[in-house]
Amino acid sequence: MAHMGTNVIIARLSHMSDDQLLVELRNGDSNALAALFDRFHHLVYSIALKIVRDPAEAEDVSQNVFFEIFRSAAQFDPTKGTCKVWLLQYAGWSNI
C-alpha cells in the first residue's frame, strides 16, 4: 500500500514546474528533491565532468550540488532566475 502512495506522490511531482518543486522542497517535501534530481542530474553531471574531467569526481560534485540545493532551497528567489539556472550555478561553484 505504501508503494502506491509513493507512485501517487511521484506522479503529482512530475507534473510540477521546477519552481513549484523548489517550493515543495522549502516546505519540507524531500520527494521534491528526488524529482529535481531526476530532471537535472544528467545535466549537472555533464557540466561537472567537463570541469573536473574525472567521472568519479564529477559524480561527487553532482551529489554535493543536490545536497546544497536541499540545504539552501529557502534561498531560491524566482525573481532572480529560474530553478535550472540557480541549480547550475551551484554546479559551477562546486567545481571551483
Side-chain angles (χ1 to χ4, degrees), residues 3-36:
H3 181 65
M4 269 185 90
T6 302
N7 288 339
V8 171
I9 291 168
I10 291 169
R12 179 180 61 85
L13 293 173
S14 69
H15 296 292
M16 290 185 170
S17 72
D18 301 337
D19 292 352
Q20 289 172 315
L21 286 172
L22 270 174
V23 169
E24 291 294 312
L25 187 58
R26 276 195 307 234
N27 292 335
D29 185 350
S30 60
N31 292 308
L33 181 63
L36 287 169

PDB file of all heavy atoms in Angstrom, residues 3-36:
ATOM      1  N   HIS A   3       3.651   1.618  -1.322  1.00  0.00           N
ATOM      2  CA  HIS A   3       4.209   1.755  -2.666  1.00  0.00           C
ATOM      3  C   HIS A   3       3.265   2.551  -3.564  1.00  0.00           C
ATOM      4  O   HIS A   3       3.696   3.399  -4.329  1.00  0.00           O
ATOM      5  CB  HIS A   3       4.488   0.371  -3.237  1.00  0.00           C
ATOM      6  CG  HIS A   3       5.087   0.397  -4.607  1.00  0.00           C
ATOM      7  ND1 HIS A   3       6.332   0.918  -4.845  1.00  0.00           N
ATOM      8  CD2 HIS A   3       4.606  -0.012  -5.802  1.00  0.00           C
ATOM      9  CE1 HIS A   3       6.600   0.827  -6.136  1.00  0.00           C
ATOM     10  NE2 HIS A   3       5.574   0.262  -6.736  1.00  0.00           N
ATOM     11  N   MET A   4       1.967   2.287  -3.466  1.00  0.00           N
ATOM     12  CA  MET A   4       1.002   3.053  -4.260  1.00  0.00           C
ATOM     13  C   MET A   4       1.039   4.524  -3.881  1.00  0.00           C
ATOM     14  O   MET A   4       0.951   5.385  -4.742  1.00  0.00           O
ATOM     15  CB  MET A   4      -0.415   2.502  -4.063  1.00  0.00           C
ATOM     16  CG  MET A   4      -0.776   1.441  -5.078  1.00  0.00           C
ATOM     17  SD  MET A   4      -2.475   0.952  -4.876  1.00  0.00           S
ATOM     18  CE  MET A   4      -3.292   2.095  -5.951  1.00  0.00           C
ATOM     19  N   GLY A   5       1.191   4.815  -2.612  1.00  0.00           N
ATOM     20  CA  GLY A   5       1.277   6.199  -2.168  1.00  0.00           C
ATOM     21  C   GLY A   5       2.478   6.903  -2.763  1.00  0.00           C
ATOM     22  O   GLY A   5       2.398   8.051  -3.185  1.00  0.00           O
ATOM     23  N   THR A   6       3.593   6.210  -2.820  1.00  0.00           N
ATOM     24  CA  THR A   6       4.802   6.765  -3.411  1.00  0.00           C
ATOM     25  C   THR A   6       4.592   7.054  -4.891  1.00  0.00           C
ATOM     26  O   THR A   6       5.011   8.096  -5.391  1.00  0.00           O
ATOM     27  CB  THR A   6       5.985   5.796  -3.217  1.00  0.00           C
ATOM     28  OG1 THR A   6       6.164   5.562  -1.820  1.00  0.00           O
ATOM     29  CG2 THR A   6       7.252   6.352  -3.806  1.00  0.00           C
ATOM     30  N   ASN A   7       3.930   6.142  -5.590  1.00  0.00           N
ATOM     31  CA  ASN A   7       3.659   6.359  -7.016  1.00  0.00           C
ATOM     32  C   ASN A   7       2.778   7.583  -7.237  1.00  0.00           C
ATOM     33  O   ASN A   7       2.986   8.335  -8.195  1.00  0.00           O
ATOM     34  CB  ASN A   7       3.000   5.128  -7.630  1.00  0.00           C
ATOM     35  CG  ASN A   7       3.966   3.978  -7.776  1.00  0.00           C
ATOM     36  OD1 ASN A   7       5.175   4.168  -7.788  1.00  0.00           O
ATOM     37  ND2 ASN A   7       3.435   2.775  -7.875  1.00  0.00           N
ATOM     38  N   VAL A   8       1.807   7.797  -6.368  1.00  0.00           N
ATOM     39  CA  VAL A   8       0.931   8.970  -6.468  1.00  0.00           C
ATOM     40  C   VAL A   8       1.736  10.240  -6.253  1.00  0.00           C
ATOM     41  O   VAL A   8       1.585  11.223  -6.985  1.00  0.00           O
ATOM     42  CB  VAL A   8      -0.244   8.865  -5.472  1.00  0.00           C
ATOM     43  CG1 VAL A   8      -1.019  10.165  -5.402  1.00  0.00           C
ATOM     44  CG2 VAL A   8      -1.153   7.710  -5.839  1.00  0.00           C
ATOM     45  N   ILE A   9       2.625  10.224  -5.264  1.00  0.00           N
ATOM     46  CA  ILE A   9       3.461  11.396  -4.972  1.00  0.00           C
ATOM     47  C   ILE A   9       4.367  11.695  -6.163  1.00  0.00           C
ATOM     48  O   ILE A   9       4.474  12.848  -6.605  1.00  0.00           O
ATOM     49  CB  ILE A   9       4.296  11.174  -3.698  1.00  0.00           C
ATOM     50  CG1 ILE A   9       3.386  11.158  -2.475  1.00  0.00           C
ATOM     51  CG2 ILE A   9       5.373  12.239  -3.557  1.00  0.00           C
ATOM     52  CD1 ILE A   9       4.050  10.680  -1.211  1.00  0.00           C
ATOM     53  N   ILE A  10       5.002  10.676  -6.696  1.00  0.00           N
ATOM     54  CA  ILE A  10       5.906  10.858  -7.841  1.00  0.00           C
ATOM     55  C   ILE A  10       5.133  11.395  -9.041  1.00  0.00           C
ATOM     56  O   ILE A  10       5.592  12.309  -9.730  1.00  0.00           O
ATOM     57  CB  ILE A  10       6.633   9.551  -8.170  1.00  0.00           C
ATOM     58  CG1 ILE A  10       7.622   9.224  -7.049  1.00  0.00           C
ATOM     59  CG2 ILE A  10       7.346   9.626  -9.513  1.00  0.00           C
ATOM     60  CD1 ILE A  10       8.217   7.841  -7.115  1.00  0.00           C
ATOM     61  N   ALA A  11       3.958  10.874  -9.286  1.00  0.00           N
ATOM     62  CA  ALA A  11       3.142  11.348 -10.407  1.00  0.00           C
ATOM     63  C   ALA A  11       2.752  12.807 -10.211  1.00  0.00           C
ATOM     64  O   ALA A  11       2.808  13.606 -11.153  1.00  0.00           O
ATOM     65  CB  ALA A  11       1.899  10.480 -10.563  1.00  0.00           C
ATOM     66  N   ARG A  12       2.383  13.175  -8.998  1.00  0.00           N
ATOM     67  CA  ARG A  12       1.997  14.557  -8.705  1.00  0.00           C
ATOM     68  C   ARG A  12       3.189  15.492  -8.923  1.00  0.00           C
ATOM     69  O   ARG A  12       3.075  16.538  -9.565  1.00  0.00           O
ATOM     70  CB  ARG A  12       1.493  14.668  -7.265  1.00  0.00           C
ATOM     71  CG  ARG A  12       1.100  16.083  -6.857  1.00  0.00           C
ATOM     72  CD  ARG A  12       0.611  16.134  -5.414  1.00  0.00           C
ATOM     73  NE  ARG A  12       1.596  15.717  -4.438  1.00  0.00           N
ATOM     74  CZ  ARG A  12       2.533  16.528  -3.923  1.00  0.00           C
ATOM     75  NH1 ARG A  12       2.622  17.779  -4.314  1.00  0.00           N
ATOM     76  NH2 ARG A  12       3.380  16.075  -3.029  1.00  0.00           N
ATOM     77  N   LEU A  13       4.344  15.096  -8.419  1.00  0.00           N
ATOM     78  CA  LEU A  13       5.525  15.941  -8.535  1.00  0.00           C
ATOM     79  C   LEU A  13       6.022  16.043  -9.973  1.00  0.00           C
ATOM     80  O   LEU A  13       6.544  17.078 -10.377  1.00  0.00           O
ATOM     81  CB  LEU A  13       6.645  15.423  -7.629  1.00  0.00           C
ATOM     82  CG  LEU A  13       6.392  15.523  -6.130  1.00  0.00           C
ATOM     83  CD1 LEU A  13       7.504  14.826  -5.360  1.00  0.00           C
ATOM     84  CD2 LEU A  13       6.251  16.962  -5.678  1.00  0.00           C
ATOM     85  N   SER A  14       5.844  15.008 -10.754  1.00  0.00           N
ATOM     86  CA  SER A  14       6.355  15.023 -12.126  1.00  0.00           C
ATOM     87  C   SER A  14       5.637  16.047 -12.994  1.00  0.00           C
ATOM     88  O   SER A  14       6.169  16.469 -14.016  1.00  0.00           O
ATOM     89  CB  SER A  14       6.253  13.629 -12.750  1.00  0.00           C
ATOM     90  OG  SER A  14       4.910  13.282 -12.975  1.00  0.00           O
ATOM     91  N   HIS A  15       4.459  16.469 -12.572  1.00  0.00           N
ATOM     92  CA  HIS A  15       3.699  17.456 -13.339  1.00  0.00           C
ATOM     93  C   HIS A  15       3.956  18.891 -12.869  1.00  0.00           C
ATOM     94  O   HIS A  15       3.444  19.823 -13.475  1.00  0.00           O
ATOM     95  CB  HIS A  15       2.202  17.153 -13.267  1.00  0.00           C
ATOM     96  CG  HIS A  15       1.851  15.851 -13.911  1.00  0.00           C
ATOM     97  ND1 HIS A  15       1.939  15.639 -15.267  1.00  0.00           N
ATOM     98  CD2 HIS A  15       1.439  14.672 -13.381  1.00  0.00           C
ATOM     99  CE1 HIS A  15       1.589  14.402 -15.549  1.00  0.00           C
ATOM    100  NE2 HIS A  15       1.284  13.789 -14.425  1.00  0.00           N
ATOM    101  N   MET A  16       4.747  19.055 -11.833  1.00  0.00           N
ATOM    102  CA  MET A  16       5.026  20.395 -11.302  1.00  0.00           C
ATOM    103  C   MET A  16       6.173  21.045 -12.066  1.00  0.00           C
ATOM    104  O   MET A  16       7.060  20.360 -12.575  1.00  0.00           O
ATOM    105  CB  MET A  16       5.399  20.315  -9.827  1.00  0.00           C
ATOM    106  CG  MET A  16       4.271  19.956  -8.929  1.00  0.00           C
ATOM    107  SD  MET A  16       4.835  20.039  -7.201  1.00  0.00           S
ATOM    108  CE  MET A  16       3.269  19.867  -6.379  1.00  0.00           C
ATOM    109  N   SER A  17       6.150  22.370 -12.081  1.00  0.00           N
ATOM    110  CA  SER A  17       7.270  23.103 -12.666  1.00  0.00           C
ATOM    111  C   SER A  17       8.467  22.995 -11.722  1.00  0.00           C
ATOM    112  O   SER A  17       8.334  22.626 -10.552  1.00  0.00           O
ATOM    113  CB  SER A  17       6.900  24.577 -12.854  1.00  0.00           C
ATOM    114  OG  SER A  17       6.838  25.224 -11.599  1.00  0.00           O
ATOM    115  N   ASP A  18       9.624  23.350 -12.238  1.00  0.00           N
ATOM    116  CA  ASP A  18      10.837  23.330 -11.411  1.00  0.00           C
ATOM    117  C   ASP A  18      10.684  24.251 -10.203  1.00  0.00           C
ATOM    118  O   ASP A  18      11.058  23.889  -9.082  1.00  0.00           O
ATOM    119  CB  ASP A  18      12.044  23.763 -12.237  1.00  0.00           C
ATOM    120  CG  ASP A  18      12.281  22.873 -13.439  1.00  0.00           C
ATOM    121  OD1 ASP A  18      11.832  21.711 -13.427  1.00  0.00           O
ATOM    122  OD2 ASP A  18      12.917  23.353 -14.398  1.00  0.00           O
ATOM    123  N   ASP A  19      10.137  25.442 -10.441  1.00  0.00           N
ATOM    124  CA  ASP A  19       9.953  26.392  -9.343  1.00  0.00           C
ATOM    125  C   ASP A  19       8.979  25.858  -8.302  1.00  0.00           C
ATOM    126  O   ASP A  19       9.191  26.022  -7.101  1.00  0.00           O
ATOM    127  CB  ASP A  19       9.468  27.741  -9.875  1.00  0.00           C
ATOM    128  CG  ASP A  19      10.525  28.464 -10.704  1.00  0.00           C
ATOM    129  OD1 ASP A  19      11.685  28.001 -10.754  1.00  0.00           O
ATOM    130  OD2 ASP A  19      10.187  29.494 -11.301  1.00  0.00           O
ATOM    131  N   GLN A  20       7.920  25.184  -8.759  1.00  0.00           N
ATOM    132  CA  GLN A  20       6.972  24.594  -7.816  1.00  0.00           C
ATOM    133  C   GLN A  20       7.645  23.506  -6.983  1.00  0.00           C
ATOM    134  O   GLN A  20       7.376  23.378  -5.790  1.00  0.00           O
ATOM    135  CB  GLN A  20       5.769  24.003  -8.557  1.00  0.00           C
ATOM    136  CG  GLN A  20       4.838  25.037  -9.144  1.00  0.00           C
ATOM    137  CD  GLN A  20       3.776  24.386 -10.031  1.00  0.00           C
ATOM    138  OE1 GLN A  20       4.069  23.511 -10.851  1.00  0.00           O
ATOM    139  NE2 GLN A  20       2.538  24.819  -9.856  1.00  0.00           N
ATOM    140  N   LEU A  21       8.529  22.748  -7.607  1.00  0.00           N
ATOM    141  CA  LEU A  21       9.251  21.718  -6.867  1.00  0.00           C
ATOM    142  C   LEU A  21      10.130  22.336  -5.782  1.00  0.00           C
ATOM    143  O   LEU A  21      10.225  21.805  -4.675  1.00  0.00           O
ATOM    144  CB  LEU A  21      10.103  20.865  -7.810  1.00  0.00           C
ATOM    145  CG  LEU A  21       9.332  19.879  -8.664  1.00  0.00           C
ATOM    146  CD1 LEU A  21      10.251  19.236  -9.693  1.00  0.00           C
ATOM    147  CD2 LEU A  21       8.657  18.822  -7.802  1.00  0.00           C
ATOM    148  N   LEU A  22      10.737  23.467  -6.080  1.00  0.00           N
ATOM    149  CA  LEU A  22      11.549  24.131  -5.057  1.00  0.00           C
ATOM    150  C   LEU A  22      10.685  24.628  -3.901  1.00  0.00           C
ATOM    151  O   LEU A  22      11.097  24.572  -2.747  1.00  0.00           O
ATOM    152  CB  LEU A  22      12.356  25.282  -5.655  1.00  0.00           C
ATOM    153  CG  LEU A  22      13.716  24.861  -6.167  1.00  0.00           C
ATOM    154  CD1 LEU A  22      14.409  26.012  -6.872  1.00  0.00           C
ATOM    155  CD2 LEU A  22      14.593  24.334  -5.061  1.00  0.00           C
ATOM    156  N   VAL A  23       9.484  25.090  -4.206  1.00  0.00           N
ATOM    157  CA  VAL A  23       8.555  25.495  -3.142  1.00  0.00           C
ATOM    158  C   VAL A  23       8.220  24.276  -2.283  1.00  0.00           C
ATOM    159  O   VAL A  23       8.227  24.355  -1.045  1.00  0.00           O
ATOM    160  CB  VAL A  23       7.277  26.136  -3.722  1.00  0.00           C
ATOM    161  CG1 VAL A  23       6.213  26.306  -2.656  1.00  0.00           C
ATOM    162  CG2 VAL A  23       7.615  27.480  -4.375  1.00  0.00           C
ATOM    163  N   GLU A  24       7.953  23.157  -2.915  1.00  0.00           N
ATOM    164  CA  GLU A  24       7.668  21.930  -2.171  1.00  0.00           C
ATOM    165  C   GLU A  24       8.867  21.529  -1.309  1.00  0.00           C
ATOM    166  O   GLU A  24       8.707  21.117  -0.162  1.00  0.00           O
ATOM    167  CB  GLU A  24       7.310  20.784  -3.123  1.00  0.00           C
ATOM    168  CG  GLU A  24       5.990  20.947  -3.819  1.00  0.00           C
ATOM    169  CD  GLU A  24       4.818  20.884  -2.856  1.00  0.00           C
ATOM    170  OE1 GLU A  24       4.767  19.971  -2.023  1.00  0.00           O
ATOM    171  OE2 GLU A  24       3.946  21.772  -2.959  1.00  0.00           O
ATOM    172  N   LEU A  25      10.058  21.664  -1.862  1.00  0.00           N
ATOM    173  CA  LEU A  25      11.268  21.335  -1.118  1.00  0.00           C
ATOM    174  C   LEU A  25      11.430  22.251   0.088  1.00  0.00           C
ATOM    175  O   LEU A  25      11.741  21.799   1.184  1.00  0.00           O
ATOM    176  CB  LEU A  25      12.485  21.418  -2.040  1.00  0.00           C
ATOM    177  CG  LEU A  25      13.815  20.946  -1.472  1.00  0.00           C
ATOM    178  CD1 LEU A  25      13.736  19.492  -1.014  1.00  0.00           C
ATOM    179  CD2 LEU A  25      14.908  21.120  -2.522  1.00  0.00           C
ATOM    180  N   ARG A  26      11.182  23.537  -0.119  1.00  0.00           N
ATOM    181  CA  ARG A  26      11.241  24.502   1.004  1.00  0.00           C
ATOM    182  C   ARG A  26      10.251  24.139   2.091  1.00  0.00           C
ATOM    183  O   ARG A  26      10.487  24.378   3.263  1.00  0.00           O
ATOM    184  CB  ARG A  26      10.929  25.921   0.512  1.00  0.00           C
ATOM    185  CG  ARG A  26      12.099  26.634  -0.059  1.00  0.00           C
ATOM    186  CD  ARG A  26      11.824  28.112  -0.184  1.00  0.00           C
ATOM    187  NE  ARG A  26      10.601  28.399  -0.909  1.00  0.00           N
ATOM    188  CZ  ARG A  26      10.505  29.194  -1.956  1.00  0.00           C
ATOM    189  NH1 ARG A  26      11.561  29.804  -2.409  1.00  0.00           N
ATOM    190  NH2 ARG A  26       9.358  29.401  -2.544  1.00  0.00           N
ATOM    191  N   ASN A  27       9.120  23.579   1.685  1.00  0.00           N
ATOM    192  CA  ASN A  27       8.081  23.191   2.643  1.00  0.00           C
ATOM    193  C   ASN A  27       8.347  21.831   3.274  1.00  0.00           C
ATOM    194  O   ASN A  27       7.501  21.313   3.998  1.00  0.00           O
ATOM    195  CB  ASN A  27       6.711  23.202   1.967  1.00  0.00           C
ATOM    196  CG  ASN A  27       6.268  24.600   1.611  1.00  0.00           C
ATOM    197  OD1 ASN A  27       6.690  25.580   2.225  1.00  0.00           O
ATOM    198  ND2 ASN A  27       5.427  24.708   0.604  1.00  0.00           N
ATOM    199  N   GLY A  28       9.511  21.254   2.980  1.00  0.00           N
ATOM    200  CA  GLY A  28       9.901  20.025   3.650  1.00  0.00           C
ATOM    201  C   GLY A  28       9.618  18.734   2.911  1.00  0.00           C
ATOM    202  O   GLY A  28       9.795  17.653   3.470  1.00  0.00           O
ATOM    203  N   ASP A  29       9.188  18.802   1.663  1.00  0.00           N
ATOM    204  CA  ASP A  29       8.897  17.595   0.903  1.00  0.00           C
ATOM    205  C   ASP A  29      10.174  17.108   0.221  1.00  0.00           C
ATOM    206  O   ASP A  29      10.561  17.601  -0.836  1.00  0.00           O
ATOM    207  CB  ASP A  29       7.810  17.875  -0.129  1.00  0.00           C
ATOM    208  CG  ASP A  29       7.363  16.626  -0.876  1.00  0.00           C
ATOM    209  OD1 ASP A  29       8.025  15.574  -0.741  1.00  0.00           O
ATOM    210  OD2 ASP A  29       6.358  16.709  -1.606  1.00  0.00           O
ATOM    211  N   SER A  30      10.835  16.127   0.819  1.00  0.00           N
ATOM    212  CA  SER A  30      12.089  15.624   0.262  1.00  0.00           C
ATOM    213  C   SER A  30      11.879  14.903  -1.067  1.00  0.00           C
ATOM    214  O   SER A  30      12.824  14.745  -1.845  1.00  0.00           O
ATOM    215  CB  SER A  30      12.790  14.712   1.258  1.00  0.00           C
ATOM    216  OG  SER A  30      11.979  13.607   1.588  1.00  0.00           O
ATOM    217  N   ASN A  31      10.657  14.472  -1.350  1.00  0.00           N
ATOM    218  CA  ASN A  31      10.375  13.868  -2.652  1.00  0.00           C
ATOM    219  C   ASN A  31      10.589  14.873  -3.784  1.00  0.00           C
ATOM    220  O   ASN A  31      10.894  14.486  -4.906  1.00  0.00           O
ATOM    221  CB  ASN A  31       8.946  13.327  -2.703  1.00  0.00           C
ATOM    222  CG  ASN A  31       8.761  12.142  -1.794  1.00  0.00           C
ATOM    223  OD1 ASN A  31       9.505  11.184  -1.853  1.00  0.00           O
ATOM    224  ND2 ASN A  31       7.766  12.215  -0.926  1.00  0.00           N
ATOM    225  N   ALA A  32      10.436  16.146  -3.484  1.00  0.00           N
ATOM    226  CA  ALA A  32      10.665  17.181  -4.494  1.00  0.00           C
ATOM    227  C   ALA A  32      12.130  17.197  -4.921  1.00  0.00           C
ATOM    228  O   ALA A  32      12.437  17.437  -6.088  1.00  0.00           O
ATOM    229  CB  ALA A  32      10.229  18.542  -3.967  1.00  0.00           C
ATOM    230  N   LEU A  33      13.032  16.922  -3.976  1.00  0.00           N
ATOM    231  CA  LEU A  33      14.453  16.849  -4.325  1.00  0.00           C
ATOM    232  C   LEU A  33      14.697  15.686  -5.280  1.00  0.00           C
ATOM    233  O   LEU A  33      15.445  15.821  -6.248  1.00  0.00           O
ATOM    234  CB  LEU A  33      15.322  16.698  -3.081  1.00  0.00           C
ATOM    235  CG  LEU A  33      16.830  16.647  -3.345  1.00  0.00           C
ATOM    236  CD1 LEU A  33      17.312  17.955  -3.953  1.00  0.00           C
ATOM    237  CD2 LEU A  33      17.576  16.339  -2.062  1.00  0.00           C
ATOM    238  N   ALA A  34      14.051  14.572  -5.032  1.00  0.00           N
ATOM    239  CA  ALA A  34      14.188  13.420  -5.924  1.00  0.00           C
ATOM    240  C   ALA A  34      13.701  13.768  -7.327  1.00  0.00           C
ATOM    241  O   ALA A  34      14.317  13.375  -8.323  1.00  0.00           O
ATOM    242  CB  ALA A  34      13.420  12.226  -5.366  1.00  0.00           C
ATOM    243  N   ALA A  35      12.615  14.516  -7.415  1.00  0.00           N
ATOM    244  CA  ALA A  35      12.089  14.924  -8.720  1.00  0.00           C
ATOM    245  C   ALA A  35      13.069  15.866  -9.429  1.00  0.00           C
ATOM    246  O   ALA A  35      13.313  15.734 -10.632  1.00  0.00           O
ATOM    247  CB  ALA A  35      10.719  15.576  -8.560  1.00  0.00           C
ATOM    248  N   LEU A  36      13.644  16.813  -8.692  1.00  0.00           N
ATOM    249  CA  LEU A  36      14.634  17.715  -9.281  1.00  0.00           C
ATOM    250  C   LEU A  36      15.874  16.940  -9.719  1.00  0.00           C
ATOM    251  O   LEU A  36      16.441  17.202 -10.783  1.00  0.00           O
ATOM    252  CB  LEU A  36      15.012  18.815  -8.289  1.00  0.00           C
ATOM    253  CG  LEU A  36      13.959  19.888  -8.065  1.00  0.00           C
ATOM    254  CD1 LEU A  36      14.327  20.764  -6.870  1.00  0.00           C
ATOM    255  CD2 LEU A  36      13.771  20.737  -9.311  1.00  0.00           C
TER     256      LEU A  36
END
